[in-house]
Amino acid sequence: MKFVIIGGDAAGMSAASRTKRNRPEFEVIVLEQSQDVSYSACGMPYNIADPERSMEDLVVRRAEVFIEKNKINLLTGHRVTRIDRKAGKVIGVTQDNQAFTMAYDALFIATGARPHVPDVPGIDLPGVMPLKSLAHGKKIKVFIDTKRVKKAVISGMGYIGLEMCEALRARGIAVDMIKPGPIFLPWMTPELSQVVADEVTANGVNLYCGEGITAIESVDDGGLMVVGEHRKLPADLVISASGVTPCSELAVEAGLETGIAGAVAVDAMMRTSDDRIYAAGDCADAIHVVTGEKCWIPLALRANRAGWAVADNVCGKEIRLQGVVGTAVFKVFNMQVARTGLSLQEAREAGFDPAEVVIKSRSKAHSHPGSAMIHVSMVGDRKTGRLLGAQMVGTDGVAHRINAPAVALHAGMTVADFIQCDLGYAPPFGPVWDPVLTVANQLIKKL
Amino acid sequence: MKFVIIGGDAAGMSAASRTKRNRPEFEVIVLEQSQDVSYSACGMPYNIADPERSMEDLVVRRAEVFIEKNKINLLTGHRVTRIDRKAGKVIGVTQDNQAFTMAYDALFIATGARPHVPDVPGIDLPGVMPLKSLAHGKKIKVFIDTKRVKKAVISGMGYIGLEMCEALRARGIAVDMIKPGPIFLPWMTPELSQVVADEVTANGVNLYCGEGITAIESVDDGGLMVVGEHRKLPADLVISASGVTPCSELAVEAGLETGIAGAVAVDAMMRTSDDRIYAAGDCADAIHVVTGEKCWIPLALRANRAGWAVADNVCGKEIRLQGVVGTAVFKVFNMQVARTGLSLQEAREAGFDPAEVVIKSRSKAHSHPGSAMIHVSMVGDRKTGRLLGAQMVGTDGVAHRINAPAVALHAGMTVADFIQCDLGYAPPFGPVWDPVLTVANQLIKKL
């Protein structure tokens, strides 16, 4: 078996390593266009925040280890340009401009996602940078370390934009954030997103929602000027964080099916419409467990899990993934933000008859020192009583709390089922009724 | 409807309040033998640890509020001595030695549990104290505040003993702990209980397991001497924390069925063998969701939830509780300890064919500052693949993590189901694969 993997990031390297563990006799070739494999992309903002830490800390395993210890034929600097399904091979070019071809018995497209680049004059100026690859992260860090960066503008207010805003503030850089969409965290219930927005602005960051960038200009002193629809924002550094797009071009050109958001369409075994070709990670879609419909939610755990599933399936184990519930957590300044499942709006769009409750609760027991406010929302379906989603914001004890409703979503629990759950209680960790139970106790009255 | 409740703690007051909310026209009488209702018993060790805080901080709602605002006929200082089922009334005596009788249409036994008092000479000496009621807590705190307490012995090593050991150390008191059982935290997998034991001894506490106390003696300087089987331990204060016993005497004398550990036997609606009489809270048993068998696990959340269920059932709503999975968390010094479901040994005793895996994982992402070691065990059934239990110990991010497997136990998930769960990930909060998933990924290989 000759198993060729395009892309050496989370999904690709997970699949490569597991395939060699399962079946050491398989030939596993990974074609990675960059020089970097197996690094913690999500850790980049935290690393950039700390001038004492090296970007190399983020590398989990070096290419040589995969080659020598795992016996993976890992070829960095190899960019695939075409898949020839009929011939069962991929065609590409190396960083030295050498053409190559590689035959496969099984192929895995793990090409990930790329930053969406807004079509704006000046987006390619030096000092305007996205953050997706390790190379991007290094470039931003070197720029901050070596230039006199006093002011930055971040285009976009997603997870990466917000994490970068905290990182830049930690480096003493003034930050403005701007995006064309009118609503800050549009997937979040308004009461909760306001808490996050307040935390960001309390840390000296200006938020300009509903304002597109029309141009980025070079100015005389060597700096930049971000021209918005209603204002001009001077900057020494511009972070372009306007979301990501699946890298599905190779799949499209090879005639494979794509679906939602242009991601490669896969079944529960991660097979594309060609059963010798798998796709997974940020370039591929998934079933949303709550809606039963396809979705594209590019997150790290799914990429790793799906990479393993591909490996097992290539090795003949027949692993089917149930799908995702869209659980996501992030931190911005002191605020922890978490979500799982559907928002009220998403639930409506998916055809449910949803009800939502928003509560405030304490993170620790009555009168326990260090107890902080947690804002929690929960959404359930009036027709079936089913739990559909939950969101949470607070400075203490938010992130791990979201996993209880996340598991309940996988189990298809009703809100009434969830209320019965025997969760842990001790005064240093929560009230007797955990906030996720308190919100469920309120929600059941509306269903 | 005249609804009489014996006991004004968590279960009793939850039921009283909810009944009046459901049906304001119902007459609700609570007979409480002490003066204290609705206080955070679990918060007492933390309060005792802090000389600046008043014990009154633990009172959630004062008796007058229940009486005036909730219109509950709350009678403190009223001890019930007998239930006359035939006549449908309870008989008792007040703190002023006045006899009383009270007729009921529905009766709720919420008498809780009492500290187990070892049959040892000197157990009744001044300076030997249990910790269960608020009166106990106040007595201990006054004793520490007013006497020169330099050395304490704690008899017992359960949650309360360990929480008190931390509290006393915080007050600068030297602590020895002693118990007859040979194993520290016998319900915990040995690798994890060793981590907890190490934390306790690292904080200067001596642990003497496998050693019964034969006597407590008064010594000349006004102190105490705890006489163990192999040593004598001087003490200014002895905390008796050898577990609790359900207060089921009233039920037994009334001819109601009792079961495991002598607790009052109830069905899913909290009805005793007399369908006009309910029981719930620390005096009553429950179904264990994992084994399907009766168990007696007296914990606060269950007491509150069961109190609500009694209220709803008295009001005709027909609420059935699914049962408990034995989720419990506590903190001792910097260590967070959590469990849910069955240990390996408990699973064997319940007739499963269990396998266990113990792993070490990180509490935060690779290379993220503040990341600490978490020790996790998980138990599954070889025959059915079912998840049976999990345990966790660590200084960071343990307590709330236990709730994901707890929900999975309620849902009857297999380990293979649990592995599919889409849990949250961000570097400040965990690795990509949360420790509870990593342990499940290992466990599945053994099933």
Side-chain angles (χ1 to χ4, degrees):
Chain A
M1 164 65 79
K2 192 168 175 181
F3 178 31
V4 173
I5 299 171
I6 310 174
D9 207 337
M13 293 319 296
S14 295
S17 303
R18 192 168 174 102
T19 303
K20 291 299 282 188
R21 263 202 309 279
N22 285 345
R23 301 290 291 265
E25 75 278 18
F26 277 19
E27 187 182 356
V28 176
I29 301 112
V30 177
L31 304 167
E32 166 56 42
Q33 62 181 353
S34 81
Q35 297 303 312
D36 304 305
V37 292
S38 189
Y39 59 92
S40 171
C42 307
M44 290 194 291
Y46 305 96
N47 188 293
I48 291 167
D50 182 354
E52 302 301 316
R53 285 176 64 200
S54 160
M55 215 72 188
E56 295 301 321
D57 287 359
L58 295 172
V59 176
V60 179
R61 198 180 293 188
R62 291 186 5 266
E64 300 84 72
V65 179
F66 284 110
I67 294 166
E68 285 157 28
K69 202 174 147 213
N70 303 72
K71 310 294 180 198
I72 294 164
N73 187 2
L74 168 57
L75 303 169
T76 56
H78 277 59
R79 185 163 64 84
V80 173
T81 53
R82 196 161 69 81
I83 299 167
D84 184 340
R85 287 164 59 191
K86 213 164 192 175
K89 63 184 185 183
V90 298
I91 296 102
V93 61
T94 69
Q95 58 192 347
D96 309 318
N97 266 314
Q98 301 294 310
F100 69 86
T101 65
M102 186 75 70
Y104 64 80
D105 298 315
L107 178 67
F108 176 20
I109 301 173
T111 42
R114 71 168 60 83
H116 171 71
V117 179
D119 183 19
V120 164
I123 195 77
D124 52 355
L125 283 172
V128 183
M129 303 181 200
L131 177 62
K132 180 76 180 64
S133 68
L134 191 62
H136 293 145
K138 286 176 178 171
K139 196 174 158 196
I140 292 172
K141 196 159 188 182
V142 167
F143 193 89
I144 294 171
D145 288 344
T146 56
K147 311 268 178 184
R148 225 168 129 261
V149 180
K150 299 184 76 172
K151 200 157 184 330
V153 170
I154 299 173
S155 161
M157 299 181 194
Y159 306 153
I160 293 174
L162 288 166
E163 287 167 352
M164 274 309 296
C165 131
E166 180 185 343
L168 295 175
R169 293 297 295 131
R171 299 294 298 260
I173 298 168
V175 178
D176 292 333
M177 300 185 81
I178 185 167
K179 69 163 188 171
I183 301 168
F184 180 74
L185 299 180
W187 48 267
M188 187 156 238
T189 206
E191 197 175 321
L192 273 63
S193 67
Q194 188 59 50
V195 176
V196 185
D198 289 347
E199 174 76 4
V200 173
T201 53
N203 279 278
V205 176
N206 298 306
L207 296 176
Y208 302 112
C209 296
E211 192 166 344
I213 294 176
T214 57
I216 303 172
E217 295 166 357
S218 228
V219 288
D220 288 347
D221 66 354
L224 299 161
M225 184 66 75
V226 175
V227 183
E229 286 165 6
H230 308 305
R231 76 200 72 231
K232 289 184 167 192
L233 301 169
D236 305 306
L237 167 66
V238 177
I239 304 286
S240 174
S242 312
V244 292
T245 308
C247 297
S248 54
E249 293 80 358
L250 286 175
V252 171
E253 284 160 20
L256 300 175
E257 275 176 32
T258 55
I260 187 161
V264 185
V266 294
D267 66 11
M269 289 176 68
M270 307 298 110
R271 289 176 303 203
T272 66
S273 49
D274 177 332
D275 62 10
R276 288 169 72 196
I277 306 182
Y278 296 82
D282 289 1
C283 68
D285 65 10
I287 293 288
H288 197 295
V289 170
V290 181
T291 63
E293 303 289 330
K294 283 295 189 85
C295 65
W296 182 64
I297 303 176
L299 287 172
L301 174 60
R302 166 72 184 190
N304 281 270
R305 179 182 273 137
W308 280 10
V310 169
D312 287 347
N313 287 324
V314 165
C315 298
K317 281 195 189 178
E318 289 223 11
I319 295 291
R320 278 162 220 279
L321 294 189
Q322 194 195 4
V324 299
V325 296
T327 313
V329 296
F330 70 94
K331 179 173 118 31
V332 59
F333 299 106
N334 287 318
M335 207 52 75
Q336 302 179 8
V337 186
R339 71 168 302 187
T340 191
L342 306 180
S343 70
L344 183 68
Q345 185 58 29
E346 289 164 345
R348 266 194 207 114
E349 286 163 9
F352 293 101
D353 178 17
E356 182 184 34
V357 160
V358 183
I359 64 154
K360 284 191 262 187
S361 179
R362 307 295 310 186
S363 67
K364 303 184 196 297
H366 169 75
S367 90
H368 200 86
S371 178
M373 202 58 84
I374 299 188
H375 303 254
V376 193
S377 88
M378 189 169 267
V379 177
D381 183 31
R382 282 200 186 88
K383 265 183 293 220
T384 59
R386 197 172 153 200
L387 177 66
L388 298 177
Q391 301 183 347
M392 242 179 283
V393 171
T395 54
D396 180 51
V398 164
H400 299 146
R401 272 199 166 97
I402 202 69
N403 289 336
V407 173
L409 291 176
H410 276 278
M413 279 186 176
T414 62
V415 177
D417 293 333
F418 184 67
I419 280 173
Q420 298 257 358
C421 287
D422 183 18
L423 305 187
Y425 160 62
F429 307 122
V432 176
W433 289 97
D434 192 273
V436 297
L437 292 175
T438 299
V439 73
N441 284 333
Q442 295 297 323
L443 179 57
I444 196 107
K445 298 177 193 168
K446 289 183 77 170
L447 296 181
Chain B
M1 163 65 77
K2 191 168 177 182
F3 177 32
V4 173
I5 299 172
I6 310 174
D9 205 339
M13 294 318 297
S14 295
S17 303
R18 193 169 173 101
T19 303
K20 290 300 283 188
R21 262 202 310 280
N22 286 344
R23 301 288 291 265
E25 75 279 17
F26 277 19
E27 187 183 356
V28 176
I29 300 112
V30 177
L31 304 168
E32 165 56 42
Q33 62 182 353
S34 81
Q35 296 305 313
D36 304 306
V37 294
S38 188
Y39 59 93
S40 171
C42 306
M44 290 194 291
Y46 305 96
N47 187 294
I48 291 167
D50 183 354
E52 302 301 318
R53 284 175 66 200
S54 159
M55 215 72 186
E56 296 301 323
D57 286 359
L58 295 172
V59 175
V60 179
R61 199 180 294 187
R62 290 185 7 265
E64 301 84 72
V65 180
F66 283 110
I67 294 166
E68 284 156 30
K69 204 175 146 214
N70 302 73
K71 310 293 179 199
I72 294 164
N73 187 2
L74 168 56
L75 303 170
T76 56
H78 277 60
R79 185 162 63 85
V80 173
T81 53
R82 197 162 68 82
I83 301 167
D84 183 341
R85 288 165 58 191
K86 216 165 191 174
K89 63 182 184 185
V90 298
I91 296 101
V93 62
T94 70
Q95 58 192 346
D96 309 318
N97 267 315
Q98 300 295 309
F100 69 86
T101 64
M102 186 73 72
Y104 63 80
D105 297 315
L107 179 66
F108 175 20
I109 302 173
T111 43
R114 72 169 59 85
H116 171 71
V117 180
D119 182 18
V120 163
I123 195 77
D124 52 356
L125 284 172
V128 182
M129 304 181 198
L131 177 63
K132 180 78 179 67
S133 69
L134 191 62
H136 293 145
K138 284 177 179 170
K139 196 173 157 198
I140 292 173
K141 196 161 189 180
V142 167
F143 193 88
I144 294 170
D145 287 345
T146 56
K147 310 268 178 187
R148 227 170 126 260
V149 180
K150 299 184 77 173
K151 203 160 181 330
V153 170
I154 299 173
S155 162
M157 300 182 195
Y159 306 153
I160 293 173
L162 288 167
E163 288 168 351
M164 274 310 295
C165 131
E166 181 185 343
L168 296 175
R169 294 297 294 130
R171 298 294 296 259
I173 298 168
V175 179
D176 292 333
M177 300 185 80
I178 186 167
K179 70 161 186 173
I183 299 168
F184 180 74
L185 299 180
W187 48 267
M188 187 157 237
T189 206
E191 197 174 322
L192 272 62
S193 67
Q194 188 58 52
V195 176
V196 185
D198 289 347
E199 175 77 4
V200 174
T201 53
N203 280 278
V205 176
N206 297 307
L207 297 177
Y208 302 111
C209 295
E211 192 167 344
I213 294 176
T214 57
I216 303 171
E217 296 167 357
S218 229
V219 288
D220 288 347
D221 66 353
L224 299 162
M225 183 67 75
V226 176
V227 184
E229 286 164 6
H230 308 305
R231 76 200 71 230
K232 290 184 167 194
L233 302 169
D236 305 305
L237 168 66
V238 176
I239 303 288
S240 174
S242 313
V244 292
T245 307
C247 298
S248 53
E249 292 81 357
L250 286 175
V252 170
E253 285 159 21
L256 299 175
E257 276 177 30
T258 56
I260 187 159
V264 186
V266 294
D267 66 8
M269 287 175 70
M270 308 297 111
R271 288 176 303 203
T272 66
S273 49
D274 177 334
D275 63 8
R276 287 169 74 195
I277 306 182
Y278 297 81
D282 290 2
C283 67
D285 65 8
I287 292 288
H288 197 295
V289 170
V290 181
T291 63
E293 304 289 330
K294 282 295 188 84
C295 65
W296 182 63
I297 304 177
L299 288 172
L301 174 59
R302 167 71 184 191
N304 280 272
R305 179 183 274 137
W308 280 10
V310 170
D312 287 346
N313 287 323
V314 165
C315 298
K317 281 196 187 177
E318 290 225 11
I319 296 291
R320 278 162 220 279
L321 295 189
Q322 193 194 3
V324 299
V325 296
T327 312
V329 296
F330 70 94
K331 180 173 118 33
V332 58
F333 300 106
N334 286 318
M335 206 54 74
Q336 302 179 8
V337 186
R339 73 168 303 188
T340 191
L342 306 180
S343 69
L344 184 67
Q345 185 58 29
E346 289 164 346
R348 267 195 207 114
E349 287 163 8
F352 292 101
D353 179 16
E356 181 184 35
V357 161
V358 183
I359 64 153
K360 284 190 263 188
S361 179
R362 307 295 311 187
S363 68
K364 302 185 195 298
H366 169 76
S367 89
H368 200 86
S371 178
M373 201 59 82
I374 299 188
H375 303 254
V376 193
S377 88
M378 189 169 268
V379 177
D381 184 31
R382 283 200 185 88
K383 266 183 291 223
T384 59
R386 198 173 151 199
L387 177 67
L388 299 177
Q391 301 183 347
M392 242 178 284
V393 171
T395 54
D396 181 51
V398 163
H400 299 144
R401 272 199 165 97
I402 202 68
N403 289 336
V407 173
L409 291 176
H410 277 277
M413 280 188 177
T414 63
V415 177
D417 293 334
F418 185 66
I419 281 174
Q420 298 257 358
C421 288
D422 184 19
L423 306 186
Y425 160 62
F429 307 122
V432 176
W433 289 97
D434 191 273
V436 297
L437 292 176
T438 298
V439 72
N441 283 331
Q442 295 297 322
L443 179 58
I444 194 108
K445 297 178 194 169
K446 287 183 80 171
L447 296 181

